[in-house]
Amino acid sequence: KRTDVICLFDVDGTLTVPRKPAEAATYEFLAKLREKVLTGVVGGSDLCKQHEQLGADCLDKFDFFFPENGLAAYKAGQLIKKTSIKEHLGDEKLKKLINFILHYIADLDIPIKRGTFIEFRNGMLNCSPIGRNCSQAERDEFEELDIHQGKGWRKAMVEALKKEFAEYDLTFSIGGQISFDIFPKGWDKTFALQYLEPPYEEGIKEVHFFGDKTYEGGNDFEIFTSPKTIGHSVTSPADTIAICTELFLK
């Protein structure tokens, strides 16, 4: 096994169909890959959501595990470190930001709205104009209108927030079907890379990253283009398996 090489995977669209659990073939592939190189996961969701998609024992399936872009960092199943947006921004700034978002969504004319427009996570705010309580069919419809039919609701909202909160030094990242993330600059997926180098790790020389949203504005873009990684753009779990097999399992 090469312990100087790690394959680091995004979750949605890379190891799983978005929001769905991983398939047996993916687990089989990951177990084989782990015999050859180190493996890790870096995803925007918290550990609870990762459990739903990658199993209750997900921490044991990988050498490194980085929920919330690495704001929680695990090695060999053990927590190394935790970081939070609440401490970083403080409640006064957070309140202004949240108030602005709620006002904006209240005035936004879209076909339907459900509930949970802001999800407060450890390292980010996840913001959804339609609301995270919508059904899968409603998600699909929102994405179709927002992206493919050019309504661009999320894009416009991000532009408004960038303008209003320029001095907060925030990053806005559109990901998934219905939402976008807001977090301090540098708290994208590259945040996790610090745990693969000194003082945390000495021996890792090559970090291969696999993700599907590797275009500019996508939540895999920063880590995909980072000089610290070798980036691989994938279209589905099957594509991830094919590319990895070609690289490491031939």
Side-chain angles (χ1 to χ4, degrees):
K1 175 170 175 167
R2 289 190 62 183
T3 55
D4 62 333
V5 175
I6 183 168
C7 287
L8 199 54
F9 300 97
D10 162 53
V11 183
D12 275 352
T14 302
L15 291 180
T16 74
V17 172
R19 297 301 310 127
K20 301 278 195 300
E23 292 178 5
T26 304
Y27 288 137
E28 205 176 304
F29 147 75
L30 286 167
K32 274 192 201 137
L33 183 67
R34 199 177 174 187
E35 289 169 14
K36 302 280 187 192
V37 295
L38 295 169
T39 61
V41 161
V42 58
S45 298
D46 59 23
L47 189 57
C48 197
K49 288 203 174 71
Q50 309 282 18
H51 281 154
E52 289 168 21
Q53 288 180 270
L54 296 171
D57 60 344
C58 60
L59 291 178
D60 303 322
K61 289 191 178 102
F62 299 88
D63 298 291
F64 293 88
F65 207 90
F66 304 116
E68 299 179 83
N69 291 352
L71 292 171
Y74 295 86
K75 180 190 176 179
Q78 301 299 309
L79 182 69
I80 314 168
K81 196 168 176 208
K82 225 172 169 152
T83 318
S84 87
I85 191 171
K86 185 170 169 283
E87 287 163 36
H88 181 81
L89 275 184
D91 277 324
E92 203 47 45
K93 282 184 170 178
L94 270 173
K95 192 170 67 176
K96 280 184 184 157
L97 182 60
I98 290 168
N99 287 349
F100 183 90
I101 291 166
L102 293 173
H103 278 292
Y104 186 101
I105 292 174
D107 294 334
L108 185 64
D109 186 22
I110 56 177
I112 58 167
K113 289 180 188 171
R114 293 300 179 247
T116 313
F117 301 102
I118 299 172
E119 189 171 86
F120 187 85
R121 297 179 185 170
N122 181 48
M124 64 173 75
L125 297 180
N126 176 270
C127 182
S128 174
I130 183 178
R132 296 189 65 87
N133 298 133
C134 60
S135 68
Q136 188 58 52
E138 289 162 348
R139 267 174 181 264
D140 295 342
E141 186 193 4
F142 178 88
E143 182 184 39
E144 174 62 32
L145 290 167
D146 185 49
I147 295 179
H148 307 296
Q149 292 186 28
K151 293 285 188 192
W153 294 308
R154 287 183 289 176
K155 215 171 173 182
M157 191 168 173
V158 161
E159 287 313 312
L161 283 159
K162 274 184 180 167
K163 205 170 142 193
E164 186 70 21
F165 296 99
E167 81 284 4
Y168 280 27
D169 218 17
L170 298 169
T171 295
F172 301 87
S173 178
I174 295 173
Q177 293 182 288
I178 57 164
S179 65
F180 60 90
D181 297 329
I182 305 172
F183 47 87
K185 273 212 173 73
W187 286 26
D188 49 63
K189 288 181 182 171
T190 59
F191 191 87
L193 297 176
Q194 64 184 294
Y195 298 111
L196 301 177
E197 55 192 36
Y200 297 99
E201 289 300 312
E202 299 296 336
I204 297 171
K205 302 280 182 277
E206 253 180 52
V207 180
H208 289 263
F209 172 76
F210 299 82
D212 66 318
K213 291 195 163 54
T214 54
Y215 48 83
E216 193 158 0
N219 60 7
D220 296 322
F221 177 74
E222 291 86 359
I223 191 168
F224 175 74
T225 55
S226 166
K228 294 179 178 180
T229 67
I230 299 162
H232 305 272
S233 198
V234 303
T235 55
S236 66
D239 192 33
T240 303
I241 293 172
I243 292 171
C244 259
T245 300
E246 192 57 47
L247 287 170
F248 301 105
L249 298 173
K250 276 281 191 246

